[in-house]
Amino acid sequence: MNGAQSLIRTLADADVDLCFTNPGTSEMHFVAALDDVPQMRAVLGLAEGVVTGAADGYGRVAQRPAATLLHLGPGLGNGLANLHNARRARTPVVNIVGDHATYHKNLDAPLESDIEAVAGSLDGWVHRSVAPAQVGTDTAAAVAAARDAPGRVATLILPADVSWGDGGAPAAPVAPREPRPVPSETVREIAKVLRGGEPVALLVGGAACREPGLRAVSRIARATGATTFTETFPARLERGAGLPGIERLGYLAEQVSYQLDGVRHVVVAGTRAPVSFFAYPGKASELVPEGAQVHTLAEVGDDVVAALVELADEVAADVAPELVPAHRPELPTGELTPQNWAQVIGALLPEGAIVSDEANTSGLLVPSATAGSPRHDVLTLTGGAIGQGMPVATGAALAAPDRPVVNLESDGSALYTIPALWTQAREGLNVTTVLLNNRAYAILRMELQRVGAESSGPKAGGLLDLSTPDLDFVRMAEGFGVPATRARTAEQLAEQFRRALAEPGPHLIEAMVPPLL
């Protein structure tokens, strides 16, 4: 058995049975070894950002890691943006990066680079295998590291000669680190804050954004009057009819200031105290109201759900959560607008949908339009690095093939990783992409004003415009093997969305929505 074979067998034995890849020469023995391990499924992405984003989407939904296989430092660099998003989502990912043979590295061949430095920026686990006999043990450690609570990117570097060399042996799975329990004393201290008579905001993140945590949060709010929020960009938020409707903290600092106005205590659980997405001239970066105290119920990596349930039992023993009743918007009519396209989605979103949301400025009204839709999951842009939506939808569809996946995608972001459509077609994935074409980087038009750099000049305006030449996403999608249509009215969008959901395989709808700004 060579090193590559021992690596794949160890992955499969540890329940890592899906590998997203865009391989190169240094990874060919790994590629060849795939046929020796029938449990391992390999999925090809045409660009590394698709590979890493799909692994992120898969991990968020499956709650276990997929593997990636990337080609040396440049391949890792190409996939880094979506690994950044995975880091912020705390998604378990086992990242395999091929490297030059050990005896070749000192020759400074064209693809030579410092892989450890690039992987180290992800604040995860990084290790280099140095001998075939060690690959199995190193792989088991990588899987355990990826699954350590609350989840992280673990990067294993595999030199080519370590991959092809004989002497490999699979290793048994290693138990990951479980979430840390929150001391009952901490829970009681937070209970005192909630009972103290001053306005309290409870901000939750991570695993608390799923049903058990949300139910506990709602009980606490009903019993104490606390205002409750989820973090701005949750990795996976369960919502819809029959679940508590917990508002997300706003993206804009001005929104957060309004949401937290008058609050004297901010309790954080599974996330951190809010800060502004960017710095702005003359404005505060920390968004906790001046004079308010921050209290931590559960750190990232703690068992936040158990802590919230214990807190709810302490302050709301006989209180039931408030659940959102089923309700949908009426189907709108007329030309598409930034408002009515979201109503179409809310009116038709199917039961059990997984929504990969990268609609950006065009999607500001989606949360309200879908609040009472059938239960669904939302996967958001956790790290702010655009180009996530299509790959995450791809990985989510592979993790949950029995659930419909809906990708709400902005035009500018789509262009970063649009080859994900080819992977969706190749794998026959049930992903419906609604692509909002407003022919602009609309969010940057807004930010141009917010940073105090207002300009009406043609050079500045041209850098934020996507209309010269116009982008034809229908033809692009069809070129990647995905059936596509174009909607200009709410009626067309509704008819095309219904049809796409009813037919197997991927579909793309280009919705011609004017910019909000």
Side-chain angles (χ1 to χ4, degrees):
M1 183 179 293
N2 63 29
Q5 290 166 329
S6 69
L7 189 155
I8 298 174
R9 289 184 185 277
T10 302
L11 288 174
D13 289 345
D15 203 26
V16 180
D17 55 11
L18 179 61
C19 178
F20 296 98
T21 182
N22 186 275
T25 303
S26 300
E27 296 77 46
M28 286 298 100
H29 281 80
F30 184 109
V31 171
L34 286 166
D35 284 311
D36 298 327
V37 185
Q39 303 96 309
M40 179 64 71
R41 179 178 182 179
V43 173
L44 179 62
L46 299 183
E48 289 89 347
V50 174
V51 169
T52 55
D56 182 16
Y58 180 90
R60 294 196 206 186
V61 174
Q63 298 296 290
R64 59 188 178 97
T68 70
L69 179 65
L70 303 173
H71 185 42
L72 297 108
L76 174 60
N78 284 342
L80 196 64
N82 276 330
L83 288 174
H84 163 78
N85 290 327
R87 176 180 74 87
R88 299 295 302 198
R90 305 177 189 100
T91 304
V93 177
V94 179
N95 208 31
I96 310 297
V97 182
D99 196 9
H100 290 302
T102 55
Y103 57 82
H104 196 72
K105 284 190 68 62
N106 63 354
L107 301 179
D108 195 27
L111 278 169
E112 174 59 29
S113 63
D114 188 344
I115 297 174
E116 280 88 349
V118 178
S121 68
L122 296 168
D123 193 29
W125 181 94
V126 182
H127 183 77
R128 176 182 290 270
S129 282
V130 296
Q134 297 180 12
V135 172
T137 301
D138 293 342
T139 303
V143 176
R147 298 184 68 177
D148 279 348
R152 55 180 170 163
V153 177
T155 300
L156 179 63
I157 303 166
L158 186 68
D161 55 333
V162 175
S163 180
W164 73 53
D166 291 333
V174 175
R177 183 181 61 222
E178 296 296 326
R180 298 179 297 263
V182 173
S184 293
E185 180 182 347
T186 300
V187 174
R188 289 193 293 270
E189 288 299 317
I190 299 300
K192 290 179 183 177
V193 173
L194 290 164
R195 291 169 172 148
E198 294 186 320
V200 178
L202 174 58
L203 174 63
V204 303
C209 295
R210 301 185 67 182
E211 182 174 3
L214 297 174
R215 293 177 74 92
V217 168
S218 180
R219 291 172 60 203
I220 293 164
R222 292 192 71 192
T224 67
T227 306
T228 58
F229 303 97
T230 70
E231 57 192 343
T232 306
F233 294 107
R236 180 178 176 182
L237 174 62
E238 294 185 351
R239 65 193 306 271
L243 289 170
I246 309 299
E247 184 180 358
R248 282 166 58 182
L249 204 65
Y251 161 72
L252 301 177
E254 298 89 331
Q255 292 174 285
V256 178
S257 296
Y258 174 78
Q259 289 171 312
L260 299 183
D261 185 41
V263 166
R264 303 302 300 164
H265 301 272
V266 177
V267 175
V268 294
T271 186
R272 297 183 174 92
V275 297
S276 177
F277 209 81
F278 298 103
Y280 296 94
K283 297 182 180 180
S285 292
E286 295 178 291
L287 301 182
V288 174
E290 186 175 354
Q293 291 181 267
V294 176
H295 311 266
T296 300
L297 171 64
E299 301 276 3
V300 174
D302 289 347
D303 192 341
V304 60
V305 174
L308 286 166
V309 170
E310 184 177 347
L311 181 59
D313 290 343
E314 175 74 21
V315 302
D318 299 319
V319 177
E322 183 176 359
L323 307 180
V324 174
H327 63 92
R328 290 182 181 268
E330 295 291 328
L331 277 172
T333 59
E335 295 292 314
L336 285 175
T337 70
Q339 295 78 26
N340 67 14
W341 83 266
Q343 295 171 332
V344 173
I345 304 302
L348 300 178
L349 191 69
E351 178 82 35
I354 299 171
V355 179
S356 177
D357 183 6
E358 197 177 29
N360 298 338
T361 55
S362 293
L364 293 178
L365 298 179
V366 170
S368 59
T370 57
S373 297
R375 284 182 58 150
H376 57 280
D377 289 40
V378 179
L379 314 179
T380 76
L381 185 60
T382 51
I386 62 174
Q388 171 189 287
M390 288 184 169
V392 162
T394 303
L398 283 158
D402 57 333
R403 297 178 63 180
V405 176
V406 176
N407 175 203
L408 307 179
E409 187 64 48
S410 61
D411 50 354
S413 297
L415 293 168
Y416 282 63
T417 48
I418 199 165
L421 293 174
W422 182 87
T423 301
Q424 292 173 16
R426 178 184 175 99
E427 300 294 327
L429 303 180
N430 291 321
V431 179
T432 299
T433 299
V434 180
L435 192 143
L436 294 314
N437 186 353
N438 60 20
R439 307 166 75 210
Y441 285 127
I443 195 165
L444 295 183
R445 288 179 177 174
M446 175 183 70
E447 293 292 355
L448 186 70
Q449 300 170 8
R450 297 184 71 242
V451 299
E454 294 186 51
S455 171
S456 58
K459 290 182 181 179
L463 292 179
L464 310 182
D465 175 71
L466 299 180
S467 66
T468 50
D470 274 331
L471 295 159
D472 189 333
F473 287 97
V474 171
R475 292 173 68 185
M476 282 187 248
E478 290 173 343
F480 284 117
V482 173
T485 54
R486 180 175 292 113
R488 298 183 183 278
T489 67
E491 293 92 339
Q492 290 172 346
L493 178 58
E495 189 273 329
Q496 293 170 22
F497 190 54
R498 279 197 188 100
R499 186 170 70 245
L501 291 171
E503 296 176 353
H507 296 76
L508 182 139
I509 302 165
E510 183 180 20
M512 308 304 293
V513 176
L516 188 64
L517 300 169

